Amino acid sequence: MEGIDIQLYDRKIIEREVEAFVYDPSCGGIVSFVGKVRDATQNKQVLRLEFESYEPMAIKEMRKIAQQVLERWSVKKIAIHHRIGVLQIEDTAVVISVSAPHRKDAFVACQYAIDTLKETVPIWKKEIFEDGEVWVAAHP
Amino acid sequence: MEGIDIQLYDRKIIEREVEAFVYDPSCGGIVSFVGKVRDATQNKQVLRLEFESYEPMAIKEMRKIAQQVLERWSVKKIAIHHRIGVLQIEDTAVVISVSAPHRKDAFVACQYAIDTLKETVPIWKKEIFEDGEVWVAAHP
Amino acid sequence: MIVKVVAYGIARDILKSADCSIDLKEATTIAGLKEVLLQQYPDFSKLASLRFAVGEEYQTDSYTLVAGQEVVIIPPVSGG
Amino acid sequence: MIVKVVAYGIARDILKSADCSIDLKEATTIAGLKEVLLQQYPDFSKLASLRFAVGEEYQTDSYTLVAGQEVVIIPPVSGG
C-alpha cells in the first residue's frame, strides 16, 4: 500500500531516513516516536539487549498497524522501522513517523501505532545482566 | 531551568540536534513534532514564507511552555527550536522534542507544547504569492 | 502622557511604521489605548485578535499605562 | 497426527529447542495443543500470556489444527 514503509533490520536506525519517507508537501506536521534502550531495569545495570523476532509475521503485524492508521485517521504516510539483534544502552530500538495535514491526527495515529506494536508484533527483548538474563515482560 | 533548550534562529533546524538534547538514559521514549512549510494555501502556490518574531518575548513564552510541561507531566527534558527569516516550501519551521520515562507523558506534553506555541508565542508568518502577500491567521 | 507603541507583523503594516508615539490621558488602560488605535487605524478592527504586551508579557485590558512605557501590539500569532 | 511447533523467545528456552514435533489426536484445537504443552512443559503456565500463530496470523483457541501444520508459540511480546 502506498504511504507505508515497514522495515525490520539488524543495523543502526537512522531517524531522518524514517522521517524522510513520511514527509509530504501537503503535510504541515510530522510526529515521531523514538524508542530507546533504557539504562536500568529495577536498578540492575543492563549490559546489553538482544532483540529477536518472528520476522515474516512481525512485518505483517506492523503492516496491519500502518494500514489501520491510514484507514482510521487523515494521515498521509507512516513509517515504522524496528531494529533486531544486539543493542547497547542508548541505542534506538524503534522509530515511528507519521505525517498528516493536521497535527492532531499525526499525534493520535503515532501513539496508536506504538501502543499497538507493543501488544501485537512478535518481537522479543532479552536483557543481559552481569549475573543472568531476562526475557522482558514474559512473566506477570 | 535544567532540562529546557529554547532556541530561535535564522538558519536550518537540524532535527537530530533538537532531539539529542532531550535524550536521557532514564527515558525510554522521545516524541517529536516537526512543523513544515506546506506547499499551498487555498490552492494558491506559495513562493516563500517570511517569519518574524518579537524575539525576547517569543523566547520567554516558549520557555513558559517548557516550564509548564516539566511541571504538569513526568517529562525529563524538552527542546523547542523555532526558525525565523525566509523559509522555502519543505523547510522546517519548528521542532519540539520531549523525553519521558513513559511514552504517554511524552505524547501529551509534546502536543500541549505545539498547541500552546501556536496560541501564545509572538511569531508571525507571511506567505508570499506571485501576486501578493498575506499575514497568516491575521483575519478571521 | 506619551507611550511608545511598537508593532510587528500585520500591525506594523496597519501602523505603516514599526513604532510610534501616542499621546494619551494619564492612567489610560490597555483598553483605552486600544480604543485610540482603533479610531486612528480602523484596520485593526478587522484582525482576528488584538493583544498587547508590556515588559515582554501579555497584559489584560485593565492594565494601566504610565508615561514613557513601551507597549507592543501583538496581532494574531502564526508561528509553528 | 503430527504438528510442528516452533518457538521464539522464552518459549524456545522452555521447550529447550527452536522447534519440535508433537503427536496430537485428529482435529485437536489450539486449546488442545495448549493443554498438551502445559502438561509436558509446566513452565508455560508461568508466562503472562501464551498465544499461537498459524500461517503468520494469530489464531484463537477454537482454531482446529490439521496434520503437518506449523504452529508458532508466541510468548509475551516485548518489542518497541
Side-chain angles (χ1 to χ4, degrees):
Chain A
M1 191 189 267
E2 221 193 334
I4 294 177
D5 174 34
I6 302 298
Q7 292 189 45
L8 187 65
Y9 47 70
D10 183 2
R11 59 172 174 85
K12 210 171 157 55
I13 301 179
I14 310 297
E15 287 154 35
R16 68 177 177 284
E17 287 177 13
V18 187
E19 198 183 273
F21 173 83
V22 303
Y23 176 63
D24 187 276
S26 72
C27 291
I30 296 170
V31 173
S32 299
F33 174 79
V34 175
K36 294 265 188 188
V37 171
R38 287 165 72 172
D39 60 351
T41 300
Q42 293 149 350
N43 300 321
K44 275 181 83 173
Q45 185 62 41
V46 177
L47 298 186
R48 67 173 190 281
L49 286 101
E50 292 173 12
F51 282 77
E52 68 173 61
S53 76
Y54 172 24
E55 194 169 326
M57 183 169 164
I59 289 172
K60 224 169 174 175
E61 290 292 325
M62 287 194 282
R63 188 167 293 277
K64 273 187 203 168
I65 293 170
Q67 283 163 348
Q68 284 163 10
V69 158
L70 293 188
E71 282 160 23
R72 291 189 196 178
W73 293 282
S74 279
V75 157
K76 192 79 184 177
K77 293 181 184 174
I78 176 168
I80 307 177
H81 287 207
H82 203 299
R83 187 170 168 185
I84 46 175
V86 177
L87 274 76
Q88 309 298 328
I89 301 301
E90 312 208 0
D91 276 348
T92 296
V94 64
V95 177
I96 300 179
S97 280
V98 175
S99 63
H102 301 289
R103 67 185 182 280
K104 203 181 163 169
D105 290 308
F107 274 106
V108 175
C110 187
Q111 192 166 2
Y112 172 82
I114 180 62
D115 287 352
T116 309
L117 183 150
K118 282 174 174 275
E119 283 171 10
T120 66
V121 178
I123 296 176
W124 298 274
K125 177 164 58 186
K126 186 161 71 171
E127 290 175 337
I128 319 289
F129 304 99
E130 191 76 58
D131 60 349
E133 47 186 57
V134 166
W135 286 103
V136 176
H139 298 108
Chain B
M1 193 190 266
E2 220 194 333
I4 293 177
D5 174 34
I6 302 298
Q7 293 190 44
L8 186 65
Y9 47 71
D10 184 2
R11 59 170 174 87
K12 210 171 156 57
I13 301 179
I14 310 296
E15 288 155 36
R16 66 177 178 283
E17 287 177 12
V18 187
E19 198 184 271
F21 174 83
V22 303
Y23 176 64
D24 187 278
S26 71
C27 291
I30 296 170
V31 173
S32 299
F33 174 79
V34 175
K36 294 266 188 187
V37 171
R38 285 166 74 172
D39 60 352
T41 299
Q42 292 148 353
N43 301 320
K44 277 181 81 172
Q45 186 61 42
V46 177
L47 299 186
R48 66 174 191 280
L49 286 102
E50 292 174 12
F51 282 75
E52 67 173 61
S53 76
Y54 172 24
E55 193 169 325
M57 185 171 163
I59 289 171
K60 224 169 173 174
E61 288 293 326
M62 288 195 282
R63 188 167 293 278
K64 272 186 203 168
I65 293 170
Q67 282 164 347
Q68 283 163 9
V69 158
L70 293 188
E71 280 161 24
R72 290 189 196 178
W73 294 282
S74 279
V75 157
K76 191 79 185 176
K77 293 182 184 173
I78 176 168
I80 307 177
H81 287 208
H82 203 299
R83 187 171 168 184
I84 47 176
V86 177
L87 274 76
Q88 310 297 327
I89 302 300
E90 313 207 359
D91 276 349
T92 296
V94 63
V95 176
I96 301 179
S97 281
V98 176
S99 63
H102 301 288
R103 67 185 181 280
K104 203 180 164 171
D105 291 309
F107 274 105
V108 175
C110 187
Q111 190 165 5
Y112 172 83
I114 180 62
D115 288 351
T116 309
L117 182 149
K118 282 172 175 276
E119 284 171 9
T120 65
V121 178
I123 295 176
W124 298 274
K125 176 164 60 186
K126 187 162 68 172
E127 290 175 336
I128 319 289
F129 304 100
E130 191 76 59
D131 61 349
E133 48 185 58
V134 166
W135 286 105
V136 176
H139 298 108
Chain C
M1 66 178 191
I2 301 291
V3 298
K4 185 183 173 191
V5 169
V6 176
Y8 286 93
I10 195 167
R12 192 183 54 236
D13 293 354
I14 292 172
L15 217 61
K16 291 185 176 66
S17 171
D19 55 66
C20 71
S21 290
I22 295 202
D23 197 356
L24 298 171
K25 275 184 289 194
E26 288 297 320
T28 298
T29 60
I30 292 280
L33 169 64
K34 202 172 178 175
E35 250 175 67
V36 171
L37 283 172
L38 285 169
Q39 217 159 26
Q40 294 186 20
Y41 307 93
D43 280 352
F44 277 124
S45 68
K46 297 179 187 160
L47 300 184
S49 71
L50 192 58
R51 288 181 284 182
F52 296 86
V54 177
E56 299 170 6
E57 298 283 350
Y58 287 107
Q59 303 298 345
T60 58
D61 277 1
S62 60
Y63 181 91
T64 304
L65 298 164
V66 299
Q69 255 180 335
E70 185 176 289
V71 183
V72 180
I73 308 177
I74 312 280
V77 301
S78 49
Chain D
M1 67 179 192
I2 300 291
V3 298
K4 186 183 171 191
V5 170
V6 176
Y8 286 92
I10 196 168
R12 192 182 54 235
D13 292 354
I14 293 172
L15 217 60
K16 291 187 176 64
S17 172
D19 55 66
C20 70
S21 290
I22 296 204
D23 197 356
L24 298 172
K25 276 183 288 193
E26 286 299 319
T28 297
T29 59
I30 292 280
L33 169 63
K34 202 172 176 174
E35 249 175 68
V36 171
L37 283 171
L38 286 169
Q39 216 159 27
Q40 292 185 21
Y41 307 93
D43 280 353
F44 278 123
S45 67
K46 296 179 188 161
L47 299 183
S49 71
L50 192 58
R51 288 182 286 182
F52 295 86
V54 176
E56 299 170 7
E57 297 283 350
Y58 286 109
Q59 303 298 346
T60 58
D61 276 1
S62 59
Y63 181 91
T64 304
L65 297 164
V66 299
Q69 255 180 335
E70 184 176 290
V71 184
V72 180
I73 307 177
I74 312 279
V77 301
S78 49

